[in-house]
Amino acid sequence: MTRIKIFSILFTALLYISCSKDDYKLGSDIDPFIRFNFLVKADNTPLEYPAINGSLVPQSTYENKSVKTLKIPVTLTARSLKETVTANFSAETSGAANSFSLTPVNQLSFQGSKLTDTIYVSFDKRWAAKQSINLKLETVSDPNIHIGNLNSAYPNTTFRIDLGTISTNYTFPLTQYNVKGEVGETVDFIVNFPNGFFPEEIENANIFKFQNGFEYSLTHDDFGDNRSFVTYHLTLLEDLQNDDARYESKITLINIPNYTATGNINLSIVKPIKTPRDTQAYPASKFTDPTNAFYLTYGEHWFNNNGNCSWQTFNALTFPVIVTKDDPNAILYSDKGTTNPNDDIYHDAFKIGFNVASGTNTVNSFGLKRWFSNESNSAAISPGFNITSALEFFPANGNSKTEGTVLVIPQDITIGSSATNTHIIAISGEGTYKEINNGLYEISFELKLTNDKLFGGTVSTQYRIYNNRTYPKPAALSIPCPKEVTL
C-alpha cells in the first residue's frame, strides 16, 4: 500500500468521515469541507445516519418510491469544532411547492464533535410522474470551510431526489386479539403501511369491512409525523358474559384508490370460551425454551409423497406467546432481576406459536410449505407461514401437567406466490397432547385448511409434534392424505 493511501485511511479514521473520493493534502491537515453524505445499501434503501459503512460512496441522486420521511445527512469534515458552524441550503422542485416540507427549513448546524446534521424531507401530497426535488448547499458561516469535496469529480454540493412510482399498501402485523369481554375494555391494534401513506388520503377513507359479533367503537391516533403505521383503538360497548360462548368480530382491510390490502388482511377480536385452568400446569413450557431463540419443535404430517401417503417430517422455530400481567392465562416468566413490576415478562401458560427469530423470512409452521408448489417464503407475501399464536392447551382436569387436549387456534392466514397472487386460508383443528416418555411430549391433532379456490372447500390431515428431535416414528395410517397444490 502506498504512503498516500495509508495517510488517507488514517485521516479518515481520525476525522470520523465515511469513504469518499476526497483529495487529501500531505504533510498538513486537510481543509475542512461540507457535503451531502447520502449512502445507499445494496437493496437500494438509504443507510440512515448514525449507521456507517466505509465501503459505500456518497450519492448525488436517489430515486425515492416511498412516502415515508427521507433523511438526507450532511457532513462537515473537520476536527471537532470550537464554535458552532451553520450552513444554509436551498430546495427547488419541478412539481408543486407544497407537495413536500423540510426540517430544518434551510439551515444546518454543527458544533463540537457533532459533525453531521440531517435534512428531513416529508412528502405531503402524492406526486406526479418525473418530478424531482433539488437540494443545494449555498453558504457556510465559517469562510474557511469549503463547500463540497476537495475535488471536482465528486463535489456532493447538490443532491437530487427523483420521485419514482409510488406503491402504497397496508397490512395487519397480527391477525387475532383476545378480550376479556368487559364493557370499556380497549384493544389497540396496528395497521402497517410498509411504504408510508398520505394522511389526507386515508383520514376519511373507509379502509375496513366489518363482520361483527358484538358492539364496539373504533378510533385511531393522530397521524403525526410517523407514516409507517396507524394505531387504532377498539373499545367494547357491551359485556360478553356468557363464558360458555365464543364471541368474535372480524375486521378486514379492503382496497381503496391508491392503496392495496396485502399480506394479513383479516383481524379477529375474540372472546374465547372460558375454561377453568391452573396456570401452574404450564403446558406451553413443555414445547418452548425462551432462552434459545433457535429452539425447534419437530413434526410429522400424513401427506402425499409421489402418489403415496406417508409421514413426512418438518420443524419450526417455536416461541411462547407474550401477554400482559392481567391476562387470565398469564404466568410470570421473568422479573428481569429487578423489583420494578413494570418490566416483568409474562407468557401465556397455554399457548405456543411459530415464527422467525428475526428478519423478514418465514418458518414452516405445520409443515405448510409442503402443501404448495410455488409459495413465496417472504413474510410480506406469505405471512401465514409464521403463526405466532398457533396451538392452545387444555390440561386434563384443568391442572394435569402431563396430558390434555389441544386446539389449533382458529384463524385466517395468508399465503401467496407473489404480491398479486395471495390466498386467505382458514385453519382450525383439535387433538390431544401427552407425555409419552420421560420428558418427551407428543401433540396429536387434525389440522383443517379451508379455501374454496385452492381446495374446493375444506381438507384435513393428521399431525404429530414433539418437543425433542428424537421420537418414535408414528405408525402408518389407513386414511387418505392431501397433496400439493399450485397457488
Side-chain angles (χ1 to χ4, degrees):
M1 182 179 289
T2 66
R3 286 183 59 202
I4 293 177
K5 289 183 178 178
I6 294 172
F7 188 84
S8 297
I9 292 171
L10 289 173
F11 253 107
T12 300
L14 287 170
L15 299 174
Y16 309 103
I17 61 173
S18 61
C19 176
S20 66
K21 299 180 181 298
D22 304 320
D23 295 326
Y24 296 104
K25 295 182 177 181
L26 297 179
S28 65
D29 283 345
I30 64 169
D31 292 335
F33 62 95
I34 186 173
R35 90 285 197 189
F36 288 104
N37 195 26
F38 187 86
L39 305 177
V40 177
K41 296 181 290 186
D43 62 358
N44 201 42
T45 59
L47 180 73
E48 294 190 355
Y49 178 81
I52 59 174
N53 186 328
S55 65
L56 300 179
V57 176
Q59 303 296 302
S60 58
T61 63
Y62 179 70
E63 183 180 19
N64 181 64
K65 298 182 179 181
S66 172
V67 179
K68 293 188 288 188
T69 297
L70 187 64
K71 303 174 184 178
I72 316 294
V74 178
T75 297
L76 173 57
T77 298
R79 296 187 182 276
S80 60
L81 302 171
K82 295 180 180 179
E83 298 179 352
T84 298
V85 171
T86 59
N88 292 325
F89 65 92
S90 61
E92 295 181 350
T93 179
S94 60
N98 64 349
S99 63
F100 70 98
S101 57
L102 302 175
T103 304
V105 176
N106 57 14
Q107 188 174 87
L108 300 162
S109 178
F110 310 88
Q111 54 189 339
S113 59
K114 177 186 172 292
L115 300 179
T116 294
D117 202 357
T118 302
I119 301 171
Y120 296 85
V121 184
S122 298
F123 303 99
D124 304 318
K125 295 181 181 294
R126 189 173 291 269
W127 55 78
K130 298 182 179 179
Q131 291 189 4
S132 63
I133 299 171
N134 295 280
L135 304 176
K136 182 181 180 181
L137 297 173
E138 299 283 3
T139 61
V140 181
S141 62
D142 184 342
N144 294 316
I145 296 176
H146 187 267
I147 298 178
N149 282 330
L150 302 181
N151 63 58
S152 58
Y154 302 93
N156 294 117
T157 57
T158 63
F159 186 78
R160 188 180 77 243
I161 306 166
D162 293 321
L163 302 180
T165 303
I166 312 171
S167 175
T168 43
N169 50 32
Y170 38 48
T171 186
F172 288 123
L174 297 177
T175 60
Q176 184 168 309
Y177 289 86
N178 283 359
V179 295
K180 291 179 288 185
E182 302 170 351
V183 168
E185 181 181 356
T186 299
V187 172
D188 296 337
F189 66 88
I190 286 174
V191 176
N192 274 342
F193 292 77
N195 286 326
F197 64 91
F198 294 103
E200 67 176 16
E201 293 182 346
I202 66 167
E203 174 68 51
N204 299 311
N206 296 317
I207 68 173
F208 299 128
K209 179 177 68 175
F210 303 96
Q211 183 179 338
N212 295 332
F214 48 82
E215 295 296 320
Y216 59 87
S217 64
L218 194 63
T219 59
H220 64 74
D221 284 348
D222 293 336
F223 295 135
D225 295 329
N226 192 310
R227 304 289 177 81
S228 298
F229 63 89
V230 177
T231 300
Y232 286 82
H233 311 282
L234 181 149
T235 303
L236 293 187
L237 300 179
E238 64 172 301
D239 268 330
L240 311 178
Q241 297 181 349
N242 185 350
D243 290 340
D244 295 325
R246 185 178 190 271
Y247 298 85
E248 179 177 3
S249 285
K250 183 177 290 186
I251 302 174
T252 301
L253 288 168
I254 60 175
N255 296 333
I256 62 172
N258 295 321
Y259 292 85
T260 303
T262 59
N264 293 322
I265 67 171
N266 289 327
L267 175 68
S268 294
I269 310 297
V270 176
K271 194 265 184 180
I273 295 172
K274 188 173 182 179
T275 303
R277 289 176 287 184
D278 183 358
T279 57
Q280 296 305 312
Y282 203 1
S285 66
K286 310 301 182 185
F287 299 94
T288 59
D289 180 2
T291 66
N292 179 3
F294 301 99
Y295 177 81
L296 295 168
T297 50
Y298 302 85
E300 305 250 358
H301 61 165
W302 189 246
F303 207 81
N304 185 285
N305 182 19
N306 295 322
N308 297 310
C309 294
S310 64
W311 288 108
Q312 298 192 59
T313 62
F314 65 92
N315 59 60
L317 293 170
T318 311
F319 297 92
V321 175
I322 297 175
V323 295
T324 57
K325 179 180 181 179
D326 61 350
D327 189 288
N329 299 330
I331 188 166
L332 180 64
Y333 166 65
S334 172
D335 62 6
K336 292 190 173 180
T338 72
T339 57
N340 181 5
N342 295 325
D343 65 0
D344 293 350
I345 299 174
Y346 288 84
H347 291 164
D348 192 306
F350 306 107
K351 294 179 182 177
I352 63 172
F354 311 104
N355 202 358
V356 291
S358 62
T360 59
N361 272 334
T362 53
V363 296
N364 196 14
S365 299
F366 297 136
L368 289 174
K369 292 181 180 180
R370 187 172 282 119
W371 286 70
F372 311 104
S373 62
N374 58 335
E375 73 280 1
S376 169
N377 291 322
S378 164
I381 296 171
S382 299
F385 286 136
N386 296 334
I387 307 177
T388 56
S389 187
L391 292 172
E392 183 168 8
F393 302 97
F394 297 84
N397 301 316
N399 60 7
S400 173
K401 294 187 176 183
T402 59
E403 62 181 331
T405 58
V406 68
L407 179 73
V408 177
I409 298 172
Q411 58 193 287
D412 293 333
I413 62 173
T414 300
I415 293 173
S417 60
S418 68
T420 58
N421 181 37
T422 60
H423 303 269
I424 297 174
I425 301 168
I427 64 169
S428 61
E430 58 185 343
T432 61
Y433 71 95
K434 185 177 183 178
E435 185 178 24
I436 60 174
N437 206 337
N438 185 25
L440 176 63
Y441 283 79
E442 177 189 72
I443 307 172
S444 173
F445 63 98
E446 178 187 40
L447 177 68
K448 299 178 182 179
L449 278 66
T450 301
N451 180 284
D452 289 340
K453 183 176 180 180
L454 294 176
F455 310 121
T458 299
V459 292
S460 66
T461 195
Q462 285 292 314
Y463 276 76
R464 307 287 185 267
I465 290 179
Y466 302 89
N467 64 338
N468 193 298
R469 67 187 310 162
T470 303
Y471 56 84
K473 187 75 173 180
L477 303 177
S478 58
I479 60 173
C481 59
K483 62 180 180 180
E484 185 180 73
V485 299
T486 300
L487 293 171

